[in-house]
Amino acid sequence: MKLYLPFFYAALVSIGIMPPVVAKPLIFEADATPNLASAVPIPEEEIAKTSANPPSSQSSQSPNADRQSSITEIPRLSEIKRPLTSVEGLFQESLPTTADSSPIAQVEAEVVKVTGVRLNSTGVAFEVILETSDGTILQASTSTEDNTLIADIPNAVLALPGEDEFRADNPAEGITLVTVTQVDANRIRVAVTGETAVPTVQVPASESGLVLSVTPSVLQEEAEVEEEIEIVVTATRTEQDILNVPRSVTVITRDEIEQQSKLTPNLFDILGNTVPGFGAPNQSDRNNAQTLRGRNALILIDGVPLDSNLIGSTGLRGFDPSIVERIEVVNGPTGIYGSGATGGVINIITRRPEEDFTVRAELGVSAPLGELQGDSFAYDLGAGISGTEGDFDYLINLAAQFTNQFYDAEGDRIPQDVPTLAESTVLNGFGRLGFDITDEQRLQLSVNHARDRRDVNYLTDPTVRDIPGRQKARALEIDLDFGDLERPGNVVTNIDLNYAHDNLLGSRLQAQAYYYNGAVRSLPSDGRNGGFLDSITYAEFRAEAYGGRLQIETPIAQPLALLWGADYRNERNERIVDILDPVAFDEDEVARSIEQRTQFPPYFIDQIGLFAQLQWDVSPSFTLSGGIRQEFLGLGVDDYTTLSGDDIEGGNVNFDATVFNAGVVYRATDNVSLFASFSQGFSAPLFFTLAAPPPGFSVDEGFEGLEPQKVDNYEIGVRGRWGNLQASLAGFYTYSELGAFLQNIPGTPNSRLVRAPQRNYGIEAALDWQPTAQWRIGGTVGWNEGEADEDDDGEFTALGTFDVQPWKLTAYVEHQTTPTWSNRLQLLYSGNRDRGFEAGADGLPIEDYITLDLVSQLQIGDGTLSLGIENLLDNQYFPVFSQVLSGFDDTDYRAARGRRVSLTYSISW
């Protein structure tokens, strides 16, 4: 606790929660080394007089002599000759400097001679370099006044050959003046005046003296505009400026991912905190009750599907956020990537190797902030290398997460269940090797493997079902031994081979071949007393797929561009159920299989998709686009026996779908675009009928549940980008004649798949504003609703909350407190929803809740120390997914994690 309490206190000071500690400035005689123990505070009048009459006559004419600083100056006097290496050291420097202060009052400071000043251009920025006579490293505190950046350096005197000060007029574009002057006996001031605004500064590590890396505001704004213009959205299968895309798009940058990962490494929770229209975080290993606009999203990694028809996208649990470059989310149905994107596409784009050899390491620890429990700590480790050698480049990353038990805000242990993250050992390895065949051709191989295994020490106590009223799930201690069976968890392997040719007969070609293998082991489920199979069951989902993608971008004429190609995927799914020995389970706490049955027989899905997409730039401000995709799907099932013992004859069934899209973008100005679009998405349904078929069922004859879901999407919106302000607003309506949604089976905690007309509609908005170089403010809001006509009689009733989540609001304020220290405070509000309960789709109304998180990051040398506090106010709440399940069984009413602090140090060199 001693390690992070000073850092935590300082973070709270920066955002205004705690009052700052302020010290009066001290002034010493210039003829000897100052002694802090004998220092006497100087009256304010004398300080003002001294500041107004510095030793140098030239410096007295400085335009900054009468400045009024916007921050409280606390001079720091010490003998430290190297950068800070501990948080406690940083905190000590903010303590009062008085005659009897400890430990600072016992430190003596040595006056250092600055013998040289020079300027060094580094491209966009330039460096102000102060050289010392003995190589001592200088410390500086910064402030601003009007357009001037000021860096005060204590314990230093100017000793320039033949000069009293350094002055450079108009040394760089956007900079009118740079001065280095002696402002009092022991303090040097560096002043850099910008032409139109205050420049920004960074203090890189140096072996001696001091280096200030200064970026003029003009060049910084130009670089930011250029960077914004270069933002591309590959989730649409082509690189485009985001303002030219006729769809709602959210881009989560690498910086945002790194920030959010200091609170949680779970990508589903990161998406829930940042994407409007996506369900709120549920603190689980899958996106249950986290739909996108009320329907399922297709998860891609570098354009390759991660989803399985049977087990969804659980493979993200072990995916290390540190290898993600950005995440691009296209909201709303789309068929451009094939089956599965009825709610939209989430494309996770991994990092490219660095040009120079780079080593990265990370170490993190987290625990509840309060009364610590011995089994509540969690640890994160990560290491990687990256670099380029000639035409080859490479990236290798290894990561490990070790979680223990989690506790809610009331201090109670949260019971483990299938999707919870407690007692996990997660290992992830990612490797990438690239070869630039020519300047226009590239070959790249990527491999990702994640293994998540869990111990089971606490299950939910079934006795809460017998207590009247809604009861919070309670933990029941059990030390379950799985013997020869695999422990619960997920295992996922992805292999991706990519070839690109930027100029093949005037076209750009991209080809991919991939392989996917995934397995999910659930926790044992006690179905005795009328539950599943009236037995204790232990199930495993298995999925395997391979496929390829080919796309070609062909320019037809100057305003016309054609994207065309084909996709192929072969997928195999099954679910196996082990029946456990009840005696061994109850008496010996051992999971021993006595019988194995097939719940979902092995079934195969073959998919071939042909597509073409045309874009026409009618004018610089008006763009039309449209496309078509033809999908052919085949289902194959071998003969099998159901769980109830019925023999089913297998067979093959083919079905297809044709989907269209069209969009228009109007650039009202260079900064504002209006868009409207129509798009269709489709998906093959979950084949639940195979597990419990009706009498006389035959695969060859087909069934209604086999028909694909086709969704029509209508959307309009506006998007703007004005340098320091970015905003978007969109409204949508979707309809499917044969929808696919889950509905609870009355009297049981189980659900069934329903095929009926379905509609969804809503509004989404996002805003980001950078009022100054130090402040960032923003947020998102998403509201959507949905209904279905289950009886096909024209009467639509509300969908359950498993499909349609409550409206969600996020907000943040971020402050660059110093050049090396930043703080972010973020809020998430999940609203209430009772429409599903009133329609009988939910067991209980969904209650609202609010959470507050803090992320504070401090650069220390070449590394970064990060403090993350999840649920800062220690609010006792229940995630949406937990509330949905608890409507039918109190054993699923699990509270969220209470206040939890994470401390992480990461370094790259």
Side-chain angles (χ1 to χ4, degrees):
M1 295 294 291
K2 290 182 179 180
L3 177 62
Y4 56 76
L5 274 178
F7 189 24
F8 176 44
Y9 175 85
L12 294 181
V13 169
S14 72
I15 60 176
I17 294 179
M18 297 292 291
V21 179
V22 181
K24 289 186 176 181
L26 305 180
I27 296 181
F28 306 93
E29 296 295 330
D31 57 353
T33 301
N35 187 328
L36 293 181
S38 61
V40 178
I42 304 300
E44 298 291 341
E45 314 86 70
E46 294 297 325
I47 295 175
K49 185 185 303 182
T50 303
S51 301
N53 299 278
S56 171
S57 59
Q58 291 177 329
S59 65
S60 66
Q61 302 301 319
S62 169
N64 301 319
D66 296 323
R67 71 183 186 92
Q68 294 180 351
S69 175
S70 60
I71 63 172
T72 301
E73 292 293 327
I74 305 177
R76 295 176 291 180
L77 307 177
S78 67
E79 294 181 328
I80 298 174
K81 297 187 178 182
R82 51 179 59 89
L84 294 175
T85 58
S86 71
V87 175
E88 292 180 341
L90 172 70
F91 185 67
Q92 287 174 353
E93 288 194 353
S94 68
L95 293 174
T97 307
T98 62
D100 57 353
S101 292
S102 177
I104 298 178
Q106 301 173 10
V107 179
E108 294 186 352
E110 178 183 353
V111 176
V112 179
K113 292 183 178 181
V114 175
T115 56
V117 179
R118 57 190 176 90
L119 305 182
N120 178 44
S121 175
T122 59
V124 173
F126 72 94
E127 294 175 336
V128 181
I129 302 174
L130 275 62
E131 300 171 342
T132 56
S133 58
D134 57 357
T136 301
I137 296 176
L138 301 172
Q139 304 292 321
S141 61
T142 61
S143 60
T144 62
E145 178 197 353
D146 297 328
N147 291 349
T148 301
L149 168 73
I150 297 169
D152 283 336
I153 304 161
N155 310 322
V157 295
L158 274 178
L160 303 179
E163 297 181 357
D164 294 331
E165 70 169 21
F166 174 88
R167 179 186 180 94
D169 294 304
N170 302 310
E173 182 181 354
I175 300 295
T176 60
L177 179 65
V178 175
T179 61
V180 182
T181 59
Q182 189 83 43
V183 293
D184 59 35
N186 302 314
R187 182 159 55 102
I188 291 175
R189 173 171 296 164
V190 179
V192 183
T193 303
E195 183 177 349
T196 60
V198 63
T200 61
V201 64
Q202 292 183 338
V203 186
S206 60
E207 297 181 355
S208 64
L210 178 70
V211 177
L212 301 175
S213 180
V214 180
T215 302
S217 59
V218 174
L219 298 184
Q220 181 186 10
E221 292 172 2
E222 291 177 355
E224 289 176 353
V225 171
E226 181 179 356
E227 180 182 0
E228 289 176 346
I229 292 175
E230 291 177 350
I231 289 179
V232 296
V233 183
T234 56
T236 57
R237 297 191 78 147
T238 58
E239 297 181 351
Q240 296 187 51
D241 181 354
I242 197 171
L243 288 183
N244 293 332
V245 179
R247 303 291 303 273
S248 291
V249 178
T250 301
V251 178
I252 310 172
T253 65
R254 179 174 170 182
D255 288 342
E256 291 174 306
I257 294 169
E258 288 182 350
Q259 263 187 339
Q260 296 297 318
S261 67
K262 301 307 181 274
L263 297 169
T264 171
N266 189 343
L267 286 175
F268 285 125
D269 287 351
I270 292 175
L271 289 166
N273 279 324
T274 54
V275 178
F278 193 72
N282 60 29
Q283 299 184 357
S284 78
D285 68 349
R286 60 203 65 184
N287 58 333
N288 287 332
Q290 275 188 300
T291 58
L292 186 57
R293 290 189 173 179
R295 299 178 189 263
N296 292 327
L298 176 64
I299 308 292
L300 307 174
I301 296 180
D302 294 323
V304 175
L306 182 68
D307 289 36
S308 156
N309 177 266
L310 186 58
I311 64 177
S313 9
T314 55
L316 279 186
R317 168 67 180 97
F319 205 78
D320 184 11
S322 68
I323 61 176
V324 180
E325 180 65 30
R326 66 185 186 276
I327 302 176
E328 301 174 346
V329 181
V330 177
N331 292 34
T334 177
I336 196 169
Y337 274 97
S339 174
T342 55
V345 173
I346 299 173
N347 191 16
I348 299 169
I349 300 171
T350 55
R351 293 171 55 181
R352 288 285 299 269
E354 303 288 346
E355 292 186 3
D356 299 323
F357 179 73
T358 304
V359 180
R360 184 194 69 85
E362 183 171 287
L363 173 65
V365 61
S366 62
L369 186 59
E371 183 178 350
L372 296 178
Q373 303 289 339
D375 63 352
S376 62
F377 284 83
Y379 306 92
D380 296 274
L381 302 172
I385 60 172
S386 178
T388 301
E389 295 289 342
D391 294 328
F392 288 90
D393 51 60
Y394 54 89
L395 187 154
I396 299 174
N397 188 81
L398 302 175
Q401 302 170 22
F402 306 94
T403 67
N404 215 313
Q405 295 296 321
F406 294 110
Y407 290 79
D408 62 22
E410 295 176 347
D412 295 329
R413 183 181 285 107
I414 303 171
Q416 294 177 248
D417 191 17
V418 178
T420 57
L421 308 175
E423 292 288 353
S424 297
T425 298
V426 184
L427 305 177
N428 177 229
F430 179 85
R432 167 165 290 163
L433 178 63
F435 174 51
D436 293 328
I437 304 170
T438 68
D439 291 341
E440 298 176 338
Q441 297 183 71
R442 177 175 173 81
L443 186 66
Q444 178 177 282
L445 175 66
S446 303
V447 179
N448 179 68
H449 178 77
R451 173 178 290 268
D452 164 19
R453 288 300 180 209
R454 307 175 196 179
D455 293 324
V456 180
N457 297 326
Y458 295 91
L459 293 176
T460 185
D461 186 351
T463 62
V464 297
R465 299 183 180 123
D466 303 327
I467 303 175
R470 195 179 198 180
Q471 300 297 320
K472 181 178 74 173
R474 299 189 308 205
L476 178 66
E477 186 172 3
I478 179 173
D479 188 9
L480 194 57
D481 181 6
F482 287 90
D484 296 333
L485 297 174
E486 282 277 10
R487 288 182 296 156
N490 309 321
V491 179
V492 173
T493 301
N494 304 87
I495 302 176
D496 172 25
L497 180 64
N498 190 305
Y499 170 76
H501 196 310
D502 291 337
N503 187 11
L504 181 62
L505 301 177
S507 297
R508 186 170 188 266
L509 178 145
Q510 288 183 280
Q512 285 180 307
Y514 64 87
Y515 172 79
Y516 162 83
N517 188 295
V520 177
R521 267 284 189 182
S522 303
L523 269 68
S525 175
D526 193 345
R528 292 175 289 185
N529 301 321
F532 181 58
L533 296 180
D534 201 27
S535 305
I536 305 174
T537 57
Y538 186 38
E540 180 179 16
F541 296 89
R542 300 171 184 170
E544 187 177 26
Y546 61 87
R549 293 181 176 274
L550 174 67
Q551 67 178 54
I552 302 172
E553 297 176 56
T554 302
I556 300 176
Q558 182 61 34
L560 293 174
L562 175 67
L563 172 70
W564 56 285
D567 301 325
Y568 173 74
R569 180 179 176 89
N570 179 281
E571 182 178 325
R572 180 185 186 275
N573 296 277
E574 67 176 324
R575 189 188 194 210
I576 304 299
V577 176
D578 285 292
I579 309 298
L580 302 184
D581 183 347
V583 176
F585 189 88
D586 292 336
E587 297 181 2
D588 302 326
E589 296 185 347
V590 173
R592 180 181 298 121
S593 177
I594 57 176
E595 183 183 357
Q596 191 173 81
R597 300 183 189 178
T598 298
Q599 182 181 14
F600 285 89
Y603 66 92
F604 301 83
I605 302 176
D606 260 324
Q607 304 179 53
I608 299 177
L610 307 175
F611 63 90
Q613 194 79 13
L614 185 67
Q615 179 169 310
W616 179 22
D617 295 328
V618 181
S619 71
S621 60
F622 194 68
T623 301
L624 298 175
S625 61
I628 182 173
R629 182 182 180 100
Q630 178 64 48
E631 193 83 6
F632 303 95
L633 294 93
L635 171 68
V637 185
D638 295 331
D639 296 345
Y640 68 98
T641 301
T642 66
L643 287 173
S644 58
D646 297 327
D647 292 327
I648 303 297
E649 182 180 354
N652 295 278
V653 180
N654 297 315
F655 52 102
D656 58 71
T658 305
V659 293
F660 301 89
N661 69 83
V664 56
V665 176
Y666 174 63
R667 294 288 290 264
T669 69
D670 291 340
N671 307 107
V672 178
S673 67
L674 308 173
F675 64 88
S677 66
F678 166 78
S679 61
Q680 292 180 307
F682 73 97
S683 65
L686 296 174
F687 298 113
F688 283 175
T689 307
L690 297 175
F697 172 80
S698 171
V699 175
D700 282 332
E701 295 180 3
F703 47 92
E704 183 185 40
L706 183 66
E707 297 182 38
Q709 176 187 195
K710 185 185 293 187
V711 183
D712 297 334
N713 178 65
Y714 306 87
E715 181 175 3
I716 59 172
V718 58
R719 196 158 32 222
R721 187 176 58 204
W722 301 271
N724 66 340
L725 179 66
Q726 306 84 42
S728 65
L729 174 66
F732 67 91
Y733 174 84
T734 66
Y735 178 81
S736 53
E737 189 65 34
L738 192 61
F741 55 92
L742 295 175
Q743 187 178 79
N744 175 253
I745 301 174
T748 76
N750 302 317
S751 300
R752 64 187 179 95
L753 182 69
V754 178
R755 308 301 307 277
Q758 178 182 346
R759 66 191 183 196
N760 297 79
Y761 46 89
I763 298 175
E764 298 161 355
L767 176 69
D768 294 279
W769 179 37
Q770 303 85 45
T772 70
Q774 288 78 33
W775 288 96
R776 295 176 60 91
I777 302 171
T780 69
V781 62
W783 170 84
N784 78 94
E785 263 299 342
E787 296 102 17
D789 182 10
E790 183 180 352
D791 299 325
D792 203 12
D793 58 0
E795 294 291 333
F796 282 80
T797 58
L799 291 168
T801 307
F802 193 90
D803 293 290
V804 178
Q805 284 80 63
W807 76 281
K808 184 186 70 175
L809 171 72
T810 68
Y812 72 89
V813 56
E814 188 172 327
H815 184 233
Q816 190 68 41
T817 310
T818 73
T820 58
W821 181 28
S822 65
N823 293 280
R824 176 187 174 102
L825 192 65
Q826 64 184 36
L827 172 147
L828 182 142
Y829 173 76
S830 178
N832 53 20
R833 184 175 188 267
D834 54 14
R835 293 194 69 217
F837 171 68
E838 294 171 352
D842 291 335
L844 289 169
I846 305 302
E847 300 175 348
D848 63 343
Y849 58 86
I850 189 169
T851 64
L852 202 63
D853 304 320
L854 173 69
V855 179
S856 187
Q857 295 182 298
L858 174 69
Q859 293 181 12
I860 301 178
D862 292 331
T864 301
L865 182 66
S866 302
L867 174 73
I869 303 181
E870 180 186 34
N871 195 0
L872 181 64
L873 301 181
D874 205 20
N875 183 28
Q876 177 77 347
Y877 71 96
F878 296 81
V880 172
F881 181 46
S882 173
Q883 295 190 54
V884 172
L885 295 182
S886 70
F888 312 104
D889 190 344
D890 281 348
T891 61
D892 291 317
Y893 194 43
R894 291 173 173 80
R897 296 189 291 264
R899 184 190 295 121
R900 191 172 179 87
V901 61
S902 302
L903 195 63
T904 306
Y905 181 73
S906 57
I907 185 171
S908 296
W909 69 94

